[in-house]
Amino acid sequence: MLASPSYSRAASRFPPALHSSGNVFTGFIPIRRRVTGAQVCTRRSTLKVTCRRARERVIEGESSQMAETNKQSFKVSSGEKSPLGVSQVDKGINFALFSHNATSVTLCLSLPQSDKEDDVDVVELVLDPSINKTGDTWHICVEDLPLRNVLYGYRVDGPGELNQGHRFDRSILLLDPYAKLVKGRSFFGDSSQKFAQFYGTYDFETSPFDWGDDYKFPNIPEKDLVIYEMNVRAFTADESSGIDPSIAGSYLALIEKIPHLLDLGINAVELLPVFEFDELELQRRPNPRDHMVNTWGYSTVNFFAPMSRYASGEGDPIKASKEFKEMVKALHSAGIEVILDVVYNHTNEADDKYPYTTSFRGIDNKIYYMLDPNNQLLNYSGCGNTLNCNHPVVMELILDSLKHWVTEYHVDGFRFDLASVLCRDTDGSPLSAPPLIRAIAKDSVLSRCKIIAEPWDCGGLYLVGKFPNWDRWAEWNGMYRDDVRRFIKGDCGMKGSFATRVSGSSDLYQVNQRKPYHGVNFIIAHDGFTLRDLVTYNSKHNEANGEGGNDGCNDNYSWNCGSEGETGDAHIKSLRVRQMKNFHLALMISQGTPMMLMGDEYGHSRYGNNNSYGHDTALNNFQWKEASLNISRFHFRFFSELIKFRHSHHVLKHENFLSKGEITWHEDNWDNSESKFLAFTLHDGVNGQDVYAAFNAHDYFVKALIPLPPSGKQWFRVADTNLESPDDFVKEGVAGVAEAYNVASFSSILLKSM
């Protein structure tokens, strides 16, 4: 999560901005002349129409007026208040925008007239509140517009008092919050277009996407999920992916790598933000981070439009929409669900010190953002602003956005970034029953979706195990991450906590009708160390971020195994390999929903950077060449086989919390804080396929007494992280397990009865 410095944008199809205020380019459309329209006969009001590079005339008529450019003419009428955004109606194209505090609204249209950049028709329609406003919604219908490739935005004016919470500035062209498609810069990270304007656009011409007659949703039960957190661009952007450069880093490129996901065994991808965002937000003004590109995407510009620069070739919003659907369709065909990481806690518009007004701020700042009693922005997101999520208007926007992604794009669920923000009232105070959280849980369209909270925010509202849930919401289990990290690396006094976490965190989730799978277990996520770095660095190394190492979390519970950073020491390297396998084994045998991070399956390193959001480089990009090396393939094999073992053993993914007859703890030393060994058996009361696991976080061997197997069965060794590949995991099992097993230091074993 990052605070956003700002510059504004320059136009592309719209004429370039001629006005600037300080260092912030406001990007308004220069007007050569204005023509005031005639009075509408049936209403005493004036609708103003302005056309640039056009023959202009306004024709009086009953309840409509006509504007004529040098290429075409069209009529306008009052329009309808709903739906918000752009819609096709019988009379033409309807535009509707909410603003409670605005005193004037102007719709700006750029018409596709020519391939020549300077041959632009820009039409400004000044809405008359006596005709074009119903309640707090401004609306207008424009006839004879092209059905696609029209760019549009709004100028909105209103009270100028900043101390009253308003941030109106009619010189700025604003993006429609309900725009379903957004046109931004053409290519990802192109610094020559760092001031590019964001426009709304639409497509009512293309036929609906063909999902296919045999298409179906995977509909994977939550208890069976294995989630793979990943970044669409970073997955294939590196040249080592072997993908054609014209599609590398795109939705289509991800499709080409689905076989890798199937080999790994995961059945759900959790995509880092794919809503339209501004990856060059850090480069709008000189600052210590102006060398970076926001490749993670936690800086939303619009909540409805897919990231246009994740399309193949030139970033085109219509193509992005189609290719996103092709990606979802291909993943579903492979039996993989699609969960989106969504950011409804803040937007890209930053703060009042370095404002970057692109949409909400200029349309109605006082409605869309939380303000303190002095009408200054509250900052529970750490990014300068906080979306006013439980205001009825904003709540409706969020619900409409979620339902749009479900109905239009067929996604299977959402992970809500800094979801505790969504549990705050309009003044920032915590709510015990937040209306938005309840509405999401109860909505019929969202009923088939997985809904996952990151249950904390940057204002200290930590709700792990206490997130309002209506028995529907799952949570990122931050306590699982911390407790498992501490036990595996050998901290004292962690055995009991480790046992609680691997058995489903009943202390957190065994309330009402909640289930073990409502806890999303993870050791690694996008922010923080990768798995390899977790066992390679004691401290973060974030110098490349430009903030003097002050960014990123300091409490990583990591251990470098004896030397900071990369080393040639064979003993340390071997220990690190064991520790990575120990973490993965713990994750895959734990009750709850496991989540792993892209790249951990081959041991990706960010060289100690635990906050790598701004590096569109190999630091974040999946390294396919490295993944193909033998040592990486051995690592991948262990990870993959364990995931598949989890899928095939129901005792590892119980629907309900474990009862006494379903688990046996082989332990009588719970109160000894120096004890770092834990063993247990999960009992299969149906087929007698029990599973035994033991973890040794001591720096010496522990002789474990193996319990008797079920009657008529014997134990087979499946995994021993101390062994080299392929002996470290044998899916058929190795017979001959004796009554005792010497578990090596910092290692773990897995047995099954057959």
PDB file of all heavy atoms in Angstrom, residues 13-37:
ATOM      1  N   ARG A  13      -6.720  12.067 -27.351  1.00  0.00           N
ATOM      2  CA  ARG A  13      -7.602  12.467 -28.434  1.00  0.00           C
ATOM      3  C   ARG A  13      -8.120  13.874 -28.205  1.00  0.00           C
ATOM      4  O   ARG A  13      -8.284  14.665 -29.122  1.00  0.00           O
ATOM      5  CB  ARG A  13      -8.773  11.498 -28.589  1.00  0.00           C
ATOM      6  CG  ARG A  13      -9.686  11.878 -29.753  1.00  0.00           C
ATOM      7  CD  ARG A  13     -10.924  11.013 -29.784  1.00  0.00           C
ATOM      8  NE  ARG A  13     -10.600   9.627 -30.073  1.00  0.00           N
ATOM      9  CZ  ARG A  13     -11.479   8.644 -29.938  1.00  0.00           C
ATOM     10  NH1 ARG A  13     -12.696   8.908 -29.509  1.00  0.00           N
ATOM     11  NH2 ARG A  13     -11.143   7.407 -30.209  1.00  0.00           N
ATOM     12  N   PHE A  14      -8.407  14.222 -26.937  1.00  0.00           N
ATOM     13  CA  PHE A  14      -8.786  15.582 -26.641  1.00  0.00           C
ATOM     14  C   PHE A  14      -7.586  16.483 -26.916  1.00  0.00           C
ATOM     15  O   PHE A  14      -6.439  16.064 -26.771  1.00  0.00           O
ATOM     16  CB  PHE A  14      -9.184  15.730 -25.166  1.00  0.00           C
ATOM     17  CG  PHE A  14     -10.554  15.209 -24.871  1.00  0.00           C
ATOM     18  CD1 PHE A  14     -10.753  13.868 -24.589  1.00  0.00           C
ATOM     19  CD2 PHE A  14     -11.642  16.059 -24.874  1.00  0.00           C
ATOM     20  CE1 PHE A  14     -12.015  13.392 -24.307  1.00  0.00           C
ATOM     21  CE2 PHE A  14     -12.905  15.580 -24.576  1.00  0.00           C
ATOM     22  CZ  PHE A  14     -13.100  14.246 -24.295  1.00  0.00           C
ATOM     23  N   PRO A  15      -7.783  17.740 -27.303  1.00  0.00           N
ATOM     24  CA  PRO A  15      -6.657  18.638 -27.527  1.00  0.00           C
ATOM     25  C   PRO A  15      -5.807  18.749 -26.276  1.00  0.00           C
ATOM     26  O   PRO A  15      -6.310  18.652 -25.162  1.00  0.00           O
ATOM     27  CB  PRO A  15      -7.343  19.980 -27.853  1.00  0.00           C
ATOM     28  CG  PRO A  15      -8.721  19.600 -28.300  1.00  0.00           C
ATOM     29  CD  PRO A  15      -9.066  18.377 -27.529  1.00  0.00           C
ATOM     30  N   PRO A  16      -4.498  18.965 -26.425  1.00  0.00           N
ATOM     31  CA  PRO A  16      -3.616  19.028 -25.270  1.00  0.00           C
ATOM     32  C   PRO A  16      -3.945  20.204 -24.365  1.00  0.00           C
ATOM     33  O   PRO A  16      -4.441  21.240 -24.811  1.00  0.00           O
ATOM     34  CB  PRO A  16      -2.228  19.158 -25.886  1.00  0.00           C
ATOM     35  CG  PRO A  16      -2.465  19.631 -27.269  1.00  0.00           C
ATOM     36  CD  PRO A  16      -3.790  19.116 -27.685  1.00  0.00           C
ATOM     37  N   ALA A  17      -3.667  20.021 -23.080  1.00  0.00           N
ATOM     38  CA  ALA A  17      -3.971  21.054 -22.100  1.00  0.00           C
ATOM     39  C   ALA A  17      -3.074  22.264 -22.294  1.00  0.00           C
ATOM     40  O   ALA A  17      -1.889  22.142 -22.545  1.00  0.00           O
ATOM     41  CB  ALA A  17      -3.805  20.495 -20.696  1.00  0.00           C
ATOM     42  N   LEU A  18      -3.654  23.447 -22.141  1.00  0.00           N
ATOM     43  CA  LEU A  18      -2.891  24.678 -22.234  1.00  0.00           C
ATOM     44  C   LEU A  18      -2.795  25.365 -20.893  1.00  0.00           C
ATOM     45  O   LEU A  18      -2.067  26.334 -20.752  1.00  0.00           O
ATOM     46  CB  LEU A  18      -3.556  25.628 -23.253  1.00  0.00           C
ATOM     47  CG  LEU A  18      -3.689  25.098 -24.687  1.00  0.00           C
ATOM     48  CD1 LEU A  18      -4.356  26.156 -25.551  1.00  0.00           C
ATOM     49  CD2 LEU A  18      -2.338  24.728 -25.249  1.00  0.00           C
ATOM     50  N   HIS A  19      -3.560  24.870 -19.935  1.00  0.00           N
ATOM     51  CA  HIS A  19      -3.619  25.508 -18.624  1.00  0.00           C
ATOM     52  C   HIS A  19      -2.858  24.673 -17.605  1.00  0.00           C
ATOM     53  O   HIS A  19      -2.883  23.468 -17.634  1.00  0.00           O
ATOM     54  CB  HIS A  19      -5.074  25.635 -18.173  1.00  0.00           C
ATOM     55  CG  HIS A  19      -5.223  26.118 -16.764  1.00  0.00           C
ATOM     56  ND1 HIS A  19      -5.081  27.437 -16.419  1.00  0.00           N
ATOM     57  CD2 HIS A  19      -5.497  25.456 -15.630  1.00  0.00           C
ATOM     58  CE1 HIS A  19      -5.271  27.572 -15.117  1.00  0.00           C
ATOM     59  NE2 HIS A  19      -5.532  26.386 -14.613  1.00  0.00           N
ATOM     60  N   SER A  20      -2.136  25.327 -16.735  1.00  0.00           N
ATOM     61  CA  SER A  20      -1.489  24.610 -15.635  1.00  0.00           C
ATOM     62  C   SER A  20      -1.565  25.458 -14.394  1.00  0.00           C
ATOM     63  O   SER A  20      -1.670  26.674 -14.444  1.00  0.00           O
ATOM     64  CB  SER A  20      -0.029  24.282 -15.963  1.00  0.00           C
ATOM     65  OG  SER A  20       0.733  25.476 -16.039  1.00  0.00           O
ATOM     66  N   SER A  21      -1.528  24.786 -13.279  1.00  0.00           N
ATOM     67  CA  SER A  21      -1.550  25.459 -11.993  1.00  0.00           C
ATOM     68  C   SER A  21      -0.379  24.937 -11.187  1.00  0.00           C
ATOM     69  O   SER A  21      -0.393  23.825 -10.693  1.00  0.00           O
ATOM     70  CB  SER A  21      -2.870  25.188 -11.277  1.00  0.00           C
ATOM     71  OG  SER A  21      -2.864  25.753  -9.981  1.00  0.00           O
ATOM     72  N   GLY A  22       0.677  25.736 -11.082  1.00  0.00           N
ATOM     73  CA  GLY A  22       1.886  25.243 -10.449  1.00  0.00           C
ATOM     74  C   GLY A  22       2.468  24.123 -11.271  1.00  0.00           C
ATOM     75  O   GLY A  22       2.684  24.247 -12.469  1.00  0.00           O
ATOM     76  N   ASN A  23       2.707  22.993 -10.619  1.00  0.00           N
ATOM     77  CA  ASN A  23       3.243  21.822 -11.292  1.00  0.00           C
ATOM     78  C   ASN A  23       2.160  20.851 -11.713  1.00  0.00           C
ATOM     79  O   ASN A  23       2.446  19.799 -12.246  1.00  0.00           O
ATOM     80  CB  ASN A  23       4.234  21.086 -10.377  1.00  0.00           C
ATOM     81  CG  ASN A  23       5.528  21.848 -10.224  1.00  0.00           C
ATOM     82  OD1 ASN A  23       5.943  22.541 -11.133  1.00  0.00           O
ATOM     83  ND2 ASN A  23       6.136  21.723  -9.053  1.00  0.00           N
ATOM     84  N   VAL A  24       0.898  21.176 -11.432  1.00  0.00           N
ATOM     85  CA  VAL A  24      -0.181  20.234 -11.706  1.00  0.00           C
ATOM     86  C   VAL A  24      -0.920  20.651 -12.967  1.00  0.00           C
ATOM     87  O   VAL A  24      -1.582  21.675 -13.005  1.00  0.00           O
ATOM     88  CB  VAL A  24      -1.161  20.148 -10.525  1.00  0.00           C
ATOM     89  CG1 VAL A  24      -2.251  19.152 -10.827  1.00  0.00           C
ATOM     90  CG2 VAL A  24      -0.411  19.766  -9.264  1.00  0.00           C
ATOM     91  N   PHE A  25      -0.816  19.879 -14.006  1.00  0.00           N
ATOM     92  CA  PHE A  25      -1.503  20.160 -15.254  1.00  0.00           C
ATOM     93  C   PHE A  25      -2.950  19.708 -15.125  1.00  0.00           C
ATOM     94  O   PHE A  25      -3.216  18.560 -14.820  1.00  0.00           O
ATOM     95  CB  PHE A  25      -0.813  19.442 -16.414  1.00  0.00           C
ATOM     96  CG  PHE A  25       0.543  20.002 -16.719  1.00  0.00           C
ATOM     97  CD1 PHE A  25       1.654  19.498 -16.055  1.00  0.00           C
ATOM     98  CD2 PHE A  25       0.709  21.024 -17.629  1.00  0.00           C
ATOM     99  CE1 PHE A  25       2.914  19.997 -16.318  1.00  0.00           C
ATOM    100  CE2 PHE A  25       1.970  21.521 -17.892  1.00  0.00           C
ATOM    101  CZ  PHE A  25       3.081  21.024 -17.240  1.00  0.00           C
ATOM    102  N   THR A  26      -3.865  20.630 -15.350  1.00  0.00           N
ATOM    103  CA  THR A  26      -5.265  20.293 -15.117  1.00  0.00           C
ATOM    104  C   THR A  26      -5.926  19.670 -16.316  1.00  0.00           C
ATOM    105  O   THR A  26      -7.003  19.119 -16.215  1.00  0.00           O
ATOM    106  CB  THR A  26      -6.039  21.540 -14.681  1.00  0.00           C
ATOM    107  OG1 THR A  26      -5.800  22.586 -15.631  1.00  0.00           O
ATOM    108  CG2 THR A  26      -5.576  21.996 -13.313  1.00  0.00           C
ATOM    109  N   GLY A  27      -5.330  19.737 -17.475  1.00  0.00           N
ATOM    110  CA  GLY A  27      -5.776  18.939 -18.604  1.00  0.00           C
ATOM    111  C   GLY A  27      -7.154  19.283 -19.135  1.00  0.00           C
ATOM    112  O   GLY A  27      -7.869  18.432 -19.609  1.00  0.00           O
ATOM    113  N   PHE A  28      -7.567  20.607 -19.105  1.00  0.00           N
ATOM    114  CA  PHE A  28      -8.886  20.903 -19.625  1.00  0.00           C
ATOM    115  C   PHE A  28      -8.822  21.099 -21.136  1.00  0.00           C
ATOM    116  O   PHE A  28      -7.781  21.305 -21.717  1.00  0.00           O
ATOM    117  CB  PHE A  28      -9.471  22.143 -18.947  1.00  0.00           C
ATOM    118  CG  PHE A  28      -8.903  23.445 -19.441  1.00  0.00           C
ATOM    119  CD1 PHE A  28      -9.626  24.229 -20.319  1.00  0.00           C
ATOM    120  CD2 PHE A  28      -7.651  23.862 -19.036  1.00  0.00           C
ATOM    121  CE1 PHE A  28      -9.100  25.423 -20.780  1.00  0.00           C
ATOM    122  CE2 PHE A  28      -7.134  25.051 -19.497  1.00  0.00           C
ATOM    123  CZ  PHE A  28      -7.849  25.846 -20.374  1.00  0.00           C
ATOM    124  N   ILE A  29      -9.973  21.028 -21.760  1.00  0.00           N
ATOM    125  CA  ILE A  29     -10.054  21.146 -23.210  1.00  0.00           C
ATOM    126  C   ILE A  29     -10.145  22.617 -23.585  1.00  0.00           C
ATOM    127  O   ILE A  29     -11.053  23.322 -23.165  1.00  0.00           O
ATOM    128  CB  ILE A  29     -11.292  20.415 -23.746  1.00  0.00           C
ATOM    129  CG1 ILE A  29     -11.256  18.960 -23.288  1.00  0.00           C
ATOM    130  CG2 ILE A  29     -11.377  20.495 -25.261  1.00  0.00           C
ATOM    131  CD1 ILE A  29     -12.546  18.251 -23.530  1.00  0.00           C
ATOM    132  N   PRO A  30      -9.204  23.138 -24.365  1.00  0.00           N
ATOM    133  CA  PRO A  30      -9.299  24.539 -24.772  1.00  0.00           C
ATOM    134  C   PRO A  30     -10.490  24.748 -25.704  1.00  0.00           C
ATOM    135  O   PRO A  30     -10.744  23.938 -26.580  1.00  0.00           O
ATOM    136  CB  PRO A  30      -7.980  24.784 -25.497  1.00  0.00           C
ATOM    137  CG  PRO A  30      -7.538  23.442 -25.951  1.00  0.00           C
ATOM    138  CD  PRO A  30      -8.043  22.472 -24.945  1.00  0.00           C
ATOM    139  N   ILE A  31     -11.211  25.813 -25.513  1.00  0.00           N
ATOM    140  CA  ILE A  31     -12.398  26.099 -26.311  1.00  0.00           C
ATOM    141  C   ILE A  31     -12.131  27.330 -27.175  1.00  0.00           C
ATOM    142  O   ILE A  31     -11.797  28.398 -26.662  1.00  0.00           O
ATOM    143  CB  ILE A  31     -13.616  26.355 -25.402  1.00  0.00           C
ATOM    144  CG1 ILE A  31     -13.862  25.148 -24.515  1.00  0.00           C
ATOM    145  CG2 ILE A  31     -14.859  26.692 -26.233  1.00  0.00           C
ATOM    146  CD1 ILE A  31     -14.122  23.876 -25.274  1.00  0.00           C
ATOM    147  N   ARG A  32     -12.270  27.193 -28.453  1.00  0.00           N
ATOM    148  CA  ARG A  32     -12.065  28.324 -29.344  1.00  0.00           C
ATOM    149  C   ARG A  32     -13.256  29.270 -29.333  1.00  0.00           C
ATOM    150  O   ARG A  32     -13.105  30.470 -29.441  1.00  0.00           O
ATOM    151  CB  ARG A  32     -11.799  27.819 -30.761  1.00  0.00           C
ATOM    152  CG  ARG A  32     -10.447  27.128 -30.879  1.00  0.00           C
ATOM    153  CD  ARG A  32     -10.138  26.784 -32.308  1.00  0.00           C
ATOM    154  NE  ARG A  32      -8.791  26.228 -32.413  1.00  0.00           N
ATOM    155  CZ  ARG A  32      -8.276  25.814 -33.564  1.00  0.00           C
ATOM    156  NH1 ARG A  32      -8.968  25.880 -34.680  1.00  0.00           N
ATOM    157  NH2 ARG A  32      -7.052  25.325 -33.589  1.00  0.00           N
ATOM    158  N   ARG A  33     -14.434  28.734 -29.258  1.00  0.00           N
ATOM    159  CA  ARG A  33     -15.610  29.585 -29.155  1.00  0.00           C
ATOM    160  C   ARG A  33     -16.739  28.766 -28.546  1.00  0.00           C
ATOM    161  O   ARG A  33     -16.811  27.572 -28.704  1.00  0.00           O
ATOM    162  CB  ARG A  33     -16.015  30.147 -30.512  1.00  0.00           C
ATOM    163  CG  ARG A  33     -16.382  29.115 -31.560  1.00  0.00           C
ATOM    164  CD  ARG A  33     -16.638  29.818 -32.895  1.00  0.00           C
ATOM    165  NE  ARG A  33     -17.063  28.897 -33.930  1.00  0.00           N
ATOM    166  CZ  ARG A  33     -16.239  28.208 -34.697  1.00  0.00           C
ATOM    167  NH1 ARG A  33     -14.937  28.331 -34.527  1.00  0.00           N
ATOM    168  NH2 ARG A  33     -16.696  27.396 -35.628  1.00  0.00           N
ATOM    169  N   ARG A  34     -17.599  29.449 -27.867  1.00  0.00           N
ATOM    170  CA  ARG A  34     -18.747  28.784 -27.257  1.00  0.00           C
ATOM    171  C   ARG A  34     -20.013  29.269 -27.942  1.00  0.00           C
ATOM    172  O   ARG A  34     -20.159  30.441 -28.275  1.00  0.00           O
ATOM    173  CB  ARG A  34     -18.845  29.075 -25.761  1.00  0.00           C
ATOM    174  CG  ARG A  34     -17.675  28.534 -24.974  1.00  0.00           C
ATOM    175  CD  ARG A  34     -17.861  28.800 -23.490  1.00  0.00           C
ATOM    176  NE  ARG A  34     -18.987  28.083 -22.946  1.00  0.00           N
ATOM    177  CZ  ARG A  34     -18.950  26.821 -22.547  1.00  0.00           C
ATOM    178  NH1 ARG A  34     -17.847  26.124 -22.649  1.00  0.00           N
ATOM    179  NH2 ARG A  34     -20.019  26.243 -22.045  1.00  0.00           N
ATOM    180  N   VAL A  35     -20.934  28.368 -28.147  1.00  0.00           N
ATOM    181  CA  VAL A  35     -22.218  28.709 -28.741  1.00  0.00           C
ATOM    182  C   VAL A  35     -23.310  28.349 -27.740  1.00  0.00           C
ATOM    183  O   VAL A  35     -23.388  27.209 -27.286  1.00  0.00           O
ATOM    184  CB  VAL A  35     -22.447  27.947 -30.062  1.00  0.00           C
ATOM    185  CG1 VAL A  35     -23.819  28.282 -30.615  1.00  0.00           C
ATOM    186  CG2 VAL A  35     -21.364  28.303 -31.061  1.00  0.00           C
ATOM    187  N   THR A  36     -24.099  29.307 -27.397  1.00  0.00           N
ATOM    188  CA  THR A  36     -25.167  29.068 -26.434  1.00  0.00           C
ATOM    189  C   THR A  36     -26.407  28.588 -27.153  1.00  0.00           C
ATOM    190  O   THR A  36     -26.899  29.233 -28.081  1.00  0.00           O
ATOM    191  CB  THR A  36     -25.492  30.342 -25.652  1.00  0.00           C
ATOM    192  OG1 THR A  36     -24.318  30.774 -24.990  1.00  0.00           O
ATOM    193  CG2 THR A  36     -26.594  30.080 -24.627  1.00  0.00           C
ATOM    194  N   GLY A  37     -26.903  27.461 -26.727  1.00  0.00           N
ATOM    195  CA  GLY A  37     -28.064  26.866 -27.390  1.00  0.00           C
ATOM    196  C   GLY A  37     -29.332  27.651 -27.105  1.00  0.00           C
ATOM    197  O   GLY A  37     -29.438  28.406 -26.136  1.00  0.00           O
TER     198      GLY A  37
END
